[in-house]
Amino acid sequence: MKVFVVGAHGKIGKQLIRILSESSKHKVRAMVREAEQAHNFQSLGIETAIVNLEESVEKIAAGAIGCDAIVFTAGSGGHTGADKTLLVDLDGAVKTIEAAALAKIKRFIMVSALQAHRRENWKDGIKPYYVAKYYADKMLEQSNLTYTIIRPGGLLDSEGTGYISVAENISGGMISRKDVAKTIMSSLDEGNTFYKAFDLVSGDLPITEALKLL
Amino acid sequence: MKVFVVGAHGKIGKQLIRILSESSKHKVRAMVREAEQAHNFQSLGIETAIVNLEESVEKIAAGAIGCDAIVFTAGSGGHTGADKTLLVDLDGAVKTIEAAALAKIKRFIMVSALQAHRRENWKDGIKPYYVAKYYADKMLEQSNLTYTIIRPGGLLDSEGTGYISVAENISGGMISRKDVAKTIMSSLDEGNTFYKAFDLVSGDLPITEALKLL
């Protein structure tokens, strides 16, 4: 499967690009905003597309065309304002969903946030971020795409264990970005994750086993 | 019809409260955030409910219960940040939609913004605001409520003419807040506005006639 990774230069994105490019089953195209980021990936032999999520649906579709799946793991990040949360995390995500349809790409994996689907569990300091994720996830569920929504808990830069816990509702927990990336990759062609949304934290089952029990 | 006005203390809200309270056909309850605002309305004999749109759906529903229609004309305003745009203009609006269902109120009028339904026509400086309005409107259209989405052009404090132009797409124009309020009131029980969304600017047809031609 050839995977279009939106947010390739982000922390989860970089991990995902690495393991996809090392995998024998998959190919990858990294979507990045800047020529320099593209150059970095190209020097590693990784295909790129330069697109900004504030551009049109058509531009995003043109970047994705020819791929078989899209992973949305972009985030405006904590250093920008909530205006970018609206433009990137919400509208950028939904434009990517629309771009998938336009480019006839059926498979779509969204990286969301733990408990983003339950308003009463949104953490106080970052509520506006949850609002954006909530509606982006909702729009994906209402699309005609073969979606999976992965909602990881607190993100760590540690090595990861390869062992996870997944469920519709998990009250809290942490997970390494490497394990999130591995969970995304394992979900790509795991039919049991199709049309599902789930919380994800570090746990005690190997990733592929955990996904089969969803 | 008893109308629950969300954003009663706003500029359109105040106009709407005034004409509804003067009307023989309607009654009104003003939803405000602060006790002082409630006191101001009460001193004019107007019923109030003190609710903050950042509170729960249940709280909003409790404020609305017993009314026959809800008008959402709240806005976080230009003086607050985009975090409030997410929490109030988007999630506050959708919580009000959910509250309507909970309080068994079928009729819902949303005050949106000219061309909010067409991404390519969003004005550059206030794009994040359009994002919020766009998704709030979308969620209303997907609800089971008898909705009307009114998208006024540039808002004026002038007297108004009582003459409007309405259509699915109007490229631009202005309208007085008084005429917006009158258009809301006329839409309340005008079946021809049910399940419709339209742009609204000052024009050359009397309000009730214009609404019949939608």
Side-chain angles (χ1 to χ4, degrees):
Chain A
M1 204 178 266
K2 184 158 183 174
V3 185
F4 187 65
V5 178
V6 179
H9 204 256
K11 285 185 178 178
I12 291 174
K14 279 180 186 163
Q15 300 285 351
L16 181 61
I17 293 285
R18 193 179 55 74
I19 59 173
L20 284 170
S21 65
E22 286 167 9
S23 136
S24 56
K25 274 172 80 178
H26 301 291
K27 292 180 180 174
V28 70
R29 186 186 298 158
M31 179 182 131
V32 292
R33 257 184 316 164
E34 290 163 27
E36 197 190 322
Q37 297 166 345
H39 181 78
N40 291 343
F41 281 121
Q42 283 160 9
S43 69
L44 299 168
I46 290 159
E47 197 179 315
T48 59
I50 300 180
V51 189
N52 187 322
L53 286 173
E54 294 186 45
E55 292 182 287
S56 68
V57 171
E58 290 72 20
K59 267 291 211 45
I60 301 170
I65 206 142
C67 291
D68 309 297
I70 295 182
V71 175
F72 187 93
T73 182
S76 61
H79 53 289
T80 58
D83 52 338
K84 293 294 179 192
T85 308
L86 280 150
L87 292 171
V88 175
D89 301 84
L90 174 50
D91 202 42
V94 177
K95 285 193 284 189
T96 307
I97 293 164
E98 293 173 20
L102 197 61
K104 306 210 181 305
I105 299 168
K106 286 290 288 176
R107 184 77 179 112
F108 197 110
I109 296 183
M110 177 74 86
V111 179
S112 183
L114 192 92
Q115 291 290 299
H117 62 311
R118 294 176 79 189
R119 204 181 263 137
E120 62 271 29
N121 290 341
W122 294 351
K123 283 180 211 144
D124 255 336
I126 50 169
K127 267 191 185 173
Y129 174 73
Y130 281 104
V131 174
K133 299 308 282 181
Y134 177 80
Y135 290 101
D137 293 355
K138 246 191 156 61
M139 298 306 292
L140 178 57
E141 287 173 338
Q142 290 168 6
S143 74
N144 290 315
L145 305 177
T146 306
Y147 69 83
T148 300
I149 298 168
I150 301 178
R151 298 185 301 250
L155 297 166
L156 302 168
D157 282 324
S158 58
E159 261 311 298
T161 60
Y163 287 78
I164 62 170
S165 176
V166 289
E168 201 187 329
N169 289 297
I170 298 176
S171 60
M174 311 289 286
I175 184 161
S176 78
R177 290 180 172 89
K178 278 196 182 170
D179 283 342
V180 175
K182 284 180 193 163
T183 304
I184 295 168
M185 187 167 80
S186 296
S187 297
L188 278 168
D189 49 13
E190 170 53 78
N192 196 42
T193 69
F194 294 180
Y195 309 108
K196 284 189 187 151
F198 53 87
D199 286 344
L200 165 67
V201 296
S202 190
D204 49 19
L205 280 178
I207 290 170
T208 48
E209 271 185 52
L211 295 179
K212 281 193 197 307
L213 295 174
L214 270 170
Chain B
M1 204 179 265
K2 185 158 184 176
V3 185
F4 187 64
V5 178
V6 179
H9 204 255
K11 285 186 179 178
I12 292 174
K14 278 181 188 164
Q15 299 286 352
L16 181 61
I17 293 285
R18 192 180 54 75
I19 58 174
L20 284 171
S21 65
E22 286 168 6
S23 137
S24 55
K25 274 171 79 177
H26 301 292
K27 292 180 181 175
V28 68
R29 186 186 296 158
M31 179 183 132
V32 292
R33 258 184 315 165
E34 290 163 28
E36 197 189 321
Q37 297 167 345
H39 181 77
N40 290 343
F41 281 120
Q42 282 160 9
S43 67
L44 299 168
I46 291 159
E47 197 178 314
T48 59
I50 300 179
V51 189
N52 187 321
L53 286 172
E54 295 186 45
E55 291 180 288
S56 69
V57 172
E58 290 72 20
K59 265 291 208 46
I60 301 171
I65 206 142
C67 291
D68 309 296
I70 296 182
V71 175
F72 188 92
T73 184
S76 61
H79 53 288
T80 58
D83 53 336
K84 293 294 179 190
T85 307
L86 281 151
L87 293 171
V88 175
D89 302 85
L90 174 50
D91 202 41
V94 177
K95 285 192 283 189
T96 307
I97 293 164
E98 294 173 19
L102 198 59
K104 305 209 184 306
I105 299 169
K106 286 289 288 176
R107 183 75 180 114
F108 197 109
I109 296 183
M110 176 75 87
V111 178
S112 182
L114 192 93
Q115 291 290 299
H117 62 310
R118 294 176 80 188
R119 204 181 263 138
E120 62 271 29
N121 291 342
W122 294 350
K123 284 180 210 144
D124 254 337
I126 49 168
K127 268 191 186 171
Y129 174 72
Y130 282 103
V131 175
K133 297 309 281 181
Y134 177 80
Y135 291 100
D137 293 354
K138 248 193 154 62
M139 298 306 291
L140 178 57
E141 287 174 338
Q142 290 169 5
S143 73
N144 290 317
L145 305 178
T146 306
Y147 68 84
T148 300
I149 298 168
I150 300 178
R151 299 185 300 251
L155 296 167
L156 302 168
D157 281 325
S158 57
E159 259 311 298
T161 60
Y163 287 78
I164 61 169
S165 176
V166 290
E168 201 186 328
N169 289 296
I170 297 176
S171 60
M174 311 289 286
I175 185 160
S176 78
R177 291 180 171 89
K178 278 196 182 168
D179 283 343
V180 176
K182 284 181 195 165
T183 304
I184 295 167
M185 187 167 80
S186 295
S187 297
L188 279 167
D189 48 14
E190 171 53 78
N192 196 42
T193 69
F194 294 179
Y195 309 110
K196 285 190 186 150
F198 54 86
D199 287 344
L200 165 68
V201 296
S202 191
D204 47 20
L205 279 179
I207 291 170
T208 49
E209 272 185 50
L211 295 179
K212 281 194 196 307
L213 294 174
L214 271 169

